[in-house]
Amino acid sequence: MRLGVLDVGSNTVHLLVVDAHPGARPLPAHSHKADLRLAQLLDPAGAIGTDGVDRLVATVREAMEAAEDKGVEEVLPFATSAVREASNADEVLARVRDETGVDLKVLSGEEEAKLTFLAVRRWFGWSAGKLLVLDIGGGSLEIAYGIDEEPDAAVSLPLGAGRLTAAWFRQDPPDPSDVKALRRHARAQIARTVGEFSRFGSPDHVVATSKTFKQLARLAGAARSAEGLYVQRELKRKSLEDWVPQLAAMSEQERAELPGVSDGRAGQLLAGALVAEGAMDLFGVETLEICPWALREGVILRRLDHLPAS
């Protein structure tokens, strides 16, 4: 069957269309995305403003039209931290439902971490052993650990690259004191969770997903996306530590000119790099592997698990 997953994230609204059936690998058929940056559209009261909601409704409507055009049989719509944490979340969800017919399921941070972990486990297989999975989104950082398809521990922290950029950086390039303050803040948040994971022992593989990690790996010399999904990509902590001060000294436009960095993500790359560096350091990770599958694939795989075998 042809499935669509509609991901209303903190950075983008992304429709991913796949051809799939139980027991088989989902094959991407179409991608439709729009940069909304909802995490950066919250007003001082924590609400998504009228303009932001209008844009969200229009974008969801366009995505559903694209899904219909591509012959999608079922759309799995969900929202993550930007909507989840908005003070007017109920009103936002009601408007989307009333004006588009789409009933967005709001995932908890723990659900995000678990579904991303499922996708990584399926990608690497059982032979990968114990996995530690890191995922930096626009609004949150998810961390999960385990040896099965259900992680033994899963947490979500408010350390998304978009959220932190909007909250901590007031000029471009950012003031060095603001960079240091964010570094301290991110590490303090991550450090509180380390003990919860360390009691399970050392992982056999540390894996990262998300656009932030992919772009950081590309900067550090990993293969371009054009070289395909199956090329192994890694990010070494030493390379990341070398890049962080360089990113901090650059303007957003200068970052956008770096290999593999998109215009839409250049502004928040430094915040993402600070979180990535902090996580790798505090968890004692020298090298991590990049997984092309993440939350959207996890949602699809979970749905396929509940379909009857043909």
Side-chain angles (χ1 to χ4, degrees):
M1 66 185 300
R2 178 159 281 195
L3 285 174
V5 58
L6 180 60
D7 175 2
V8 177
S10 298
N11 281 318
T12 62
V13 175
H14 189 171
L15 170 72
L16 176 64
V17 176
V18 300
D19 292 320
H21 64 270
R25 162 176 72 93
L27 296 173
H30 179 70
S31 178
H32 175 94
K33 68 174 67 174
D35 286 322
L36 286 192
R37 303 190 194 185
L38 288 176
Q40 299 179 44
L41 294 178
L42 300 180
D43 65 22
I48 300 175
T50 302
D51 178 59
V53 181
D54 289 344
R55 289 165 58 190
L56 174 59
V57 168
T59 302
V60 169
R61 186 179 292 119
E62 290 171 5
M64 295 304 291
E65 291 171 356
E68 181 179 339
D69 289 344
K70 296 300 179 182
V72 171
E73 298 178 49
E74 181 182 356
V75 175
L76 310 172
F78 67 90
T80 56
S81 63
V83 173
R84 178 172 69 235
E85 296 167 15
S87 60
N88 61 337
D90 290 342
E91 293 88 341
V92 172
L93 295 169
R95 268 203 63 189
V96 171
R97 183 172 56 250
D98 293 344
E99 298 185 33
T100 69
V102 174
D103 191 5
L104 289 173
K105 172 180 169 56
V106 179
L107 299 179
S108 70
E110 185 177 347
E111 286 176 315
E112 281 191 62
K114 288 181 175 181
L115 288 165
T116 301
F117 186 88
L118 171 64
V120 172
R121 169 59 71 196
R122 293 281 178 90
W123 181 267
F124 282 96
W126 296 112
S127 64
K130 294 178 287 187
L131 296 174
L132 174 65
V133 177
L134 307 173
D135 181 8
I136 301 173
S140 57
L141 162 69
E142 275 69 52
I143 308 170
Y145 176 100
I147 195 168
D148 298 317
E149 292 197 338
E150 184 81 6
D152 296 311
V155 300
S156 178
L157 301 174
L159 295 176
R163 174 203 296 267
L164 296 178
T165 299
W168 291 82
F169 295 156
R170 293 176 288 274
Q171 61 191 58
D172 182 32
D175 187 285
S177 64
D178 291 334
V179 175
K180 290 180 181 178
L182 175 54
R183 184 179 186 273
R184 287 194 300 270
H185 170 76
R187 285 170 176 256
Q189 292 272 315
I190 296 167
R192 294 173 187 167
T193 72
V194 172
E196 182 176 347
F197 292 89
S198 61
R199 63 192 178 94
F200 295 107
S202 298
D204 297 304
H205 291 272
V206 182
V207 181
T209 72
S210 75
K211 195 75 169 179
T212 293
F213 273 114
K214 290 175 184 176
Q215 292 186 341
L216 292 171
R218 177 74 183 93
L219 286 181
R224 296 175 298 116
S225 58
E227 295 183 41
L229 292 179
Y230 302 106
V231 176
Q232 184 173 347
R233 295 172 174 87
E234 295 181 340
L235 174 61
K236 295 184 181 300
R237 175 156 47 116
K238 178 62 171 65
S239 297
L240 181 57
E241 289 172 345
D242 290 343
W243 266 105
V244 167
Q246 297 180 61
L247 293 173
M250 292 179 179
S251 67
E252 180 176 344
Q253 181 56 47
E254 288 171 329
R255 288 186 218 121
E257 295 170 1
L258 295 171
V261 178
S262 62
D263 290 343
R265 304 281 181 148
Q268 55 186 261
L269 186 61
L270 172 59
L274 289 168
V275 173
E277 180 191 36
M280 293 183 74
D281 187 11
L282 290 164
F283 279 98
V285 177
E286 296 299 329
T287 303
L288 54 75
E289 300 169 72
I290 304 297
C291 180
W293 279 5
L295 177 59
R296 284 183 289 273
E297 287 79 11
V299 170
I300 292 168
L301 291 165
R302 179 63 74 221
R303 178 69 184 96
L304 290 176
D305 287 345
H306 291 87
L307 288 177
S310 56

